[in-house]
């Protein structure tokens, strides 16, 4: 990751922000592309198990009916690592790692812009780490929050609001219209040296079964970039398998 960013210079270190949200930037265009190519996107359709016959996945089992695969069909399992382990026999993956806590505050008016046109504010010496503002919503991110992941939302909200108010240079008596804490307990996979040593390749011993997801051995940390790189690799291998 360092070789691909810092060592290549400033142009490779620029954070990219989804202007209107990840749905606009990534999800909607991807779904449109898949559908334009004749694919189908189904959500809320949990795969319960893989039916393996010989050395191939023959079918996917779901509560609402399975999918039977053709002889040249590849399967890419792109679930979180511990879920993938439930489906794929003998698979080694990193365990679940750190949580991420987010707080979102709806403000009565957009706050003053950040200094020097910055897109995010880094907070030092507080519980909050990063503050992002989109119109009237201020969002706070805390990665690897430690005991804060267990903290009561009712106690966390005023604490984070105090830091946010101060960082955004809002008056002492400023208050938010609505506030919400979202705790993602299994936000990233275990990125310790032990966890990283358990990142698998995209190929599996099962002939038509490939893996994707940010936890594949891409060399990148648990990020969207890693998920994209793993997806590209699995896609290229799937094309070879189905050729
Ligand atoms: C709060 C938070 C903030 C983050 N911020 C950033 C950031 O700023 N930048 C960044 O690069 N990364 C960020 N990340 C990390 C980023 O979200 C992940 O790296 C990325 O989503 C991984 O993509 P993925 O496709 O591997 O897995 P996921 O996005 O986790 O997708 C896996 C999918 O599998 C589905 N699934 C699970 N079980 C089943 C089943 N049995 N059958 C069918 N489907 C199933 C899940 O519903 C899910 O949709 C953040 C993560 C969190 C939680």
């Amino acid at each position: 990751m360092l070789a691909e960013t810092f060592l290549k210079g400033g142009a490779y270190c620029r954070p990219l922000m989804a202007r209107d949200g990840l749905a606009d930037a990534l999800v909607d265009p991807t779904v449109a592309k898949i559908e334009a190519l004749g694919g189908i996107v189904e959500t809320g359709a949990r795969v319960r198990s893989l039916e393996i016959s010989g050395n191939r996945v023959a079918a996917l089992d779901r509560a609402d009916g399975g999918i039977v695969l053709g002889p040249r069909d590849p399967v890419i399992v792109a679930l979180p690592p511990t879920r993938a382990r439930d489906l794929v026999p003998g698979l080694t993956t990193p365990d679940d790692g750190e949580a991420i806590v987010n707080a979102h505050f709806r403000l009565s008016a957009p706050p003053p812009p950040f200094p020097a046109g910055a897109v995010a504010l880094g907070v030092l010496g507080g519980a909050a780490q990063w503050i992002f503002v989109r119109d009237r919503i201020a969002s706070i991110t805390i990665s690897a929050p430690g005991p804060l992941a267990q903290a009561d939302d009712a106690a966390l909200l005023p604490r984070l609001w105090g830091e946010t108010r101060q960082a955004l240079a809002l008056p002492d008596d400023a208050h938010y219209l609505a506030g919400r804490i979202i705790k993602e307990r299994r936000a990233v996979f275990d990125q310790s040296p032990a966890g990283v040593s358990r990142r698998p390749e995209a190929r599996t011993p099962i002939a038509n079964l490939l893996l994707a997801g940010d936890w594949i051995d891409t060399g990148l940390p648990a990020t969207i970039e890693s998920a994209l790189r793993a997806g590209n690799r699995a896609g290229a291998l799937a094309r070879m398998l189905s050729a």
Side-chain angles (χ1 to χ4, degrees):
M1 191 276 280
L2 291 174
E4 292 186 40
T5 53
F6 290 104
L7 297 184
K8 285 175 96 171
Y12 292 85
C13 300
R14 303 207 179 281
L16 294 177
M17 308 285 291
R19 193 189 54 208
D20 299 320
L22 288 173
D24 290 277
L26 292 177
V27 182
D28 295 347
T30 305
V31 171
K33 176 84 176 177
I34 291 170
E35 289 177 347
L37 292 170
I40 299 169
V41 176
E42 291 182 58
T43 57
R46 194 172 77 85
V47 175
R48 292 191 297 201
S49 62
L50 305 177
E51 190 187 312
I52 296 171
S53 169
N55 193 29
R56 297 182 62 80
V57 180
L60 313 181
D61 173 50
R62 302 186 314 185
D64 56 348
I67 299 176
V68 177
L69 301 176
R72 302 179 86 89
D73 286 344
V75 176
I76 301 174
V77 166
L79 311 188
T82 50
R83 309 288 168 82
R85 252 162 33 194
D86 294 340
L87 287 191
V88 179
L91 178 64
T92 298
T93 75
D95 291 326
D96 292 324
E98 291 283 357
I100 296 181
V101 172
N102 284 118
H104 303 280
F105 297 106
R106 184 186 297 281
L107 313 177
S108 52
F114 294 153
V119 294
L121 211 56
V123 180
L124 299 179
Q129 294 169 351
W130 296 98
I131 300 180
F132 304 88
V133 170
R134 184 174 293 137
D135 192 30
R136 295 178 185 192
I137 307 284
S139 299
I140 286 73
T141 294
I142 312 171
S143 299
L148 284 183
Q150 271 73 47
D152 194 38
D153 289 4
L156 209 45
L157 265 183
R159 176 173 175 191
L160 294 177
W161 171 246
E163 294 181 8
T164 306
R165 188 179 45 68
Q166 204 182 343
L168 296 181
L170 298 175
D172 287 352
D173 60 353
H175 204 65
Y176 53 87
L177 300 179
R180 188 170 175 200
I181 303 271
I182 298 179
K183 294 173 181 156
E184 188 65 55
R185 296 194 193 283
R186 298 194 283 189
V188 291
F189 63 86
D190 171 16
Q191 295 173 99
S192 69
V196 167
S197 72
R198 295 164 65 90
R199 295 176 81 174
E201 293 294 330
R203 278 185 191 277
T204 71
I206 300 168
N208 64 338
L209 177 62
L210 300 164
L211 304 170
D214 63 356
W215 48 279
I216 302 304
D217 190 12
T218 60
L220 298 178
T223 52
I224 296 172
E225 285 88 344
S226 181
L228 292 175
R229 184 173 289 183
N232 282 337
R233 276 191 199 163
L237 290 168
R239 274 194 294 278
M240 282 164 49
L241 288 177
S242 56

